[in-house]
Amino acid sequence: MIILLVFVLSFSCHAQIFSLESLLRSELTSYNKVLDQPNKYKLQVIYTQINRDKNNEPSFKEFKVHEYKNYIYPASVIKLPVSLVALLKLQELKEKGVGLYTTMVTDSGYYCQKRTTIDSADLPSIGNYISKMLLVSDNSACSRTYEFVGCDHLHKKLEELGYENIRITNRLDGACPGDTAKITPPVYFVNEKKDTVYKQPLTLADYKKTHPIENSKVGKKPKGEKDFAKHNYFELHDLHDMMRRIIFSQHLKGDDKLGLTEE
């Protein structure tokens, strides 16, 4: 499956009038096969034109091509909302002495959980994990961060931010069945003196949300068909919106702001 996400920064003060599909065909000539068969390749494109006024304040105009409604597996892009909610949760724990690079020890206690006291050459921390997720798409870093965030807290916070349709019940640990992500192990944060400043107990999620798409089967029957009903789900529109709200955070107001500090 092929997904094209286009996020182009335009600094002109006046909106251009153009056909997005014509633009794609003129600029992505090697993708004509995909552009000619958008349903077969499940093609989606979202383009946001950013216009700035005399004070350099941005305004946004959105264009879409082939907004496909069927299931698309989001793969590693779920690391963005996991990272976002982890940062928001850290802000809530700041008064307890927990920060981006406070050492985080992940315990074990249930099938498929991994005790983690060191992360490569560094001490494990949410800051290091997020860097590894976003720079080299590290799955283990995603699993440990997901265990800190927790299944219920993750979906509750995403709903509060306006993302009711995101489903992340697989923490991207290939050796673990999907349902094990609903049970997160004990997590400890320790200071430089090795004293525990915050302890999060083993948690069993109460998650019962249904899949937002009725038909999440992909592939040809009978052997090639796969049902993604219990897999992660992240709409392209939500991904695009989340990127915009992160990148332009300082320009947004009210509920549109994500609540992240500059740090």
Side-chain angles (χ1 to χ4, degrees), residues 15 23 35 44 59 95 97 105 111 124 128-130 145 149-150 172 180 184 196 203 205 217 220 225 233 253 259:
L23 175 66
L35 294 168
Q44 295 185 61
S59 60
E95 293 182 357
V105 177
Y111 170 71
N128 286 337
Y129 284 148
I130 289 178
T145 305
V149 172
L172 301 188
T180 61
T184 51
T196 300
T203 304
K217 294 180 179 179
K220 295 182 179 179
E225 190 176 66
Y233 180 79
K253 298 177 181 179

Side-chain angles (χ1 to χ4, degrees), residues 3-7 43-47 77 236-237 239-240 243:
I3 303 174
L4 294 182
L5 169 64
V6 182
F7 194 100
L43 173 69
Q44 295 185 61
V45 184
I46 302 177
Y47 165 73
V77 296
L236 188 65
H237 180 271
L239 169 60
H240 194 76
M243 289 172 58

Side-chain angles (χ1 to χ4, degrees), residues 37-54:
Q37 304 176 80
N39 290 335
K40 176 180 178 180
Y41 293 102
K42 298 177 173 60
L43 173 69
Q44 295 185 61
V45 184
I46 302 177
Y47 165 73
T48 294
Q49 179 176 288
I50 296 106
N51 302 298
R52 295 180 180 271
D53 62 17
K54 61 181 180 181

Side-chain angles (χ1 to χ4, degrees), residues 8-259:
V8 181
L9 304 184
S10 170
F11 295 95
S12 65
C13 292
H14 302 287
Q16 289 179 288
I17 299 175
F18 64 93
S19 164
L20 179 53
E21 186 157 4
S22 297
L23 175 66
L24 294 174
R25 289 186 178 278
S26 65
E27 297 295 329
L28 303 176
T29 54
S30 60
Y31 287 92
N32 282 335
K33 180 180 178 181
V34 178
L35 294 168
D36 289 339
Q37 304 176 80
N39 290 335
K40 176 180 178 180
Y41 293 102
K42 298 177 173 60
L43 173 69
Q44 295 185 61
V45 184
I46 302 177
Y47 165 73
T48 294
Q49 179 176 288
I50 296 106
N51 302 298
R52 295 180 180 271
D53 62 17
K54 61 181 180 181
N55 297 319
N56 209 32
E57 286 294 317
S59 60
F60 308 97
K61 186 175 179 60
E62 192 170 276
F63 301 85
K64 299 178 182 179
V65 171
H66 306 301
E67 190 174 11
Y68 198 74
K69 295 295 184 182
N70 288 342
Y71 182 78
I72 290 179
Y73 179 63
S76 283
V77 296
I78 62 104
K79 290 166 182 169
L80 183 63
V82 170
S83 299
L84 170 63
V85 177
L87 291 174
L88 292 172
K89 187 171 181 177
L90 279 183
Q91 290 180 184
E92 297 172 3
L93 296 175
K94 186 175 182 179
E95 293 182 357
K96 297 183 182 295
V98 179
L100 260 179
Y101 297 102
T102 306
T103 300
M104 185 179 89
V105 177
T106 305
D107 208 340
S108 60
Y110 187 75
Y111 170 71
C112 225
Q113 295 176 351
K114 300 175 178 65
R115 179 171 172 80
T116 305
T117 59
I118 189 167
D119 175 42
S120 301
D122 300 315
L123 292 174
S125 67
I126 292 299
N128 286 337
Y129 284 148
I130 289 178
S131 293
K132 292 175 71 174
M133 274 193 282
L134 300 186
L135 291 173
V136 296
S137 194
D138 189 278
N139 283 349
S140 178
C142 183
S143 296
R144 305 293 81 77
T145 305
Y146 185 99
E147 290 164 351
F148 161 63
V149 172
C151 181
D152 283 342
H153 180 80
L154 174 63
H155 291 91
K156 179 176 182 293
K157 184 58 70 173
L158 289 173
E159 282 187 9
E160 291 174 358
L161 295 173
Y163 302 115
E164 295 88 355
N165 285 337
I166 297 179
R167 304 286 189 273
I168 306 176
T169 55
N170 186 321
R171 58 186 168 185
L172 301 188
D173 194 328
C176 302
D179 286 349
T180 61
K182 297 178 184 178
I183 304 174
T184 51
V187 175
Y188 305 82
F189 286 88
V190 297
N191 60 21
E192 294 178 353
K193 298 179 180 179
K194 307 301 181 185
D195 296 327
T196 300
V197 295
Y198 176 72
K199 177 182 177 180
Q200 182 174 287
L202 182 147
T203 304
L204 174 60
D206 190 39
Y207 180 91
K208 293 184 177 66
K209 298 182 73 173
T210 59
H211 200 281
I213 286 185
E214 183 177 345
N215 180 16
S216 55
K217 294 180 179 179
V218 176
K220 295 182 179 179
K221 296 180 180 180
K223 292 184 178 180
E225 190 176 66
K226 181 176 178 63
D227 190 353
F228 284 84
K230 294 184 178 180
H231 287 252
N232 297 332
Y233 180 79
F234 191 7
E235 294 176 3
L236 188 65
H237 180 271
D238 284 345
L239 169 60
H240 194 76
D241 181 74
M242 190 175 292
M243 289 172 58
R244 179 182 65 86
R245 291 168 74 182
I246 291 172
I247 295 170
F248 293 95
S249 177
Q250 71 272 29
H251 298 284
L252 304 178
K253 298 177 181 179
D255 292 340
D256 211 20
K257 293 186 72 70
L258 293 173

